[in-house]
Amino acid sequence: MPFSRIAVRAGKPAPYRKALMRGVHLALREVFKVPEDDLFMIVTEHEADNFAFGRHYLGIERSDDLVMIQIAVSNTRGQDQKTALFAQIAENLARDPGVRREDVFINLVDVARENWSFGNGVAQYAT
């Protein structure tokens, strides 16, 4: 049950933001084999004063179109699968909505299964 946060500079149109979500979700489905309806995402927009990053960190030239993605997932995937996910997300976002690979920054957070609410009785109290 991945939970994804996508942060961009303010001013991107809705179709652009939706394409970001589609690209990330498609990569999660293809690489991590998550079910189609396993979709939990947030896109946030930030004014320039609230969106800071190293433009040249590690020799990568980033632009104002940087997309910061943080994905929390169960800690069940190996490094090869994580690397494949990073590559697939970058490829998907390059295709649509046209994000440069240098402008895709991904942070994957491994979370122990017991730290997710599913299976811990939360849903039964939601009604």
Side-chain angles (χ1 to χ4, degrees), residues 43-90:
V43 176
T44 56
E45 294 183 274
H46 305 271
E47 297 299 328
D49 289 344
N50 297 318
F51 196 78
F53 58 93
R55 289 189 176 273
H56 315 290
Y57 183 66
L58 296 177
I60 301 170
E61 298 301 316
R62 296 171 187 85
S63 75
D64 287 341
D65 292 324
L66 181 69
V67 176
M68 295 188 206
I69 303 166
Q70 185 175 53
I71 306 171
V73 296
S74 296
N75 60 351
T76 58
R77 278 93 178 183
Q79 189 57 49
D80 289 345
Q81 203 173 16
K82 293 173 187 178
T83 300
L85 178 69
F86 298 154
Q88 190 63 56
I89 289 172

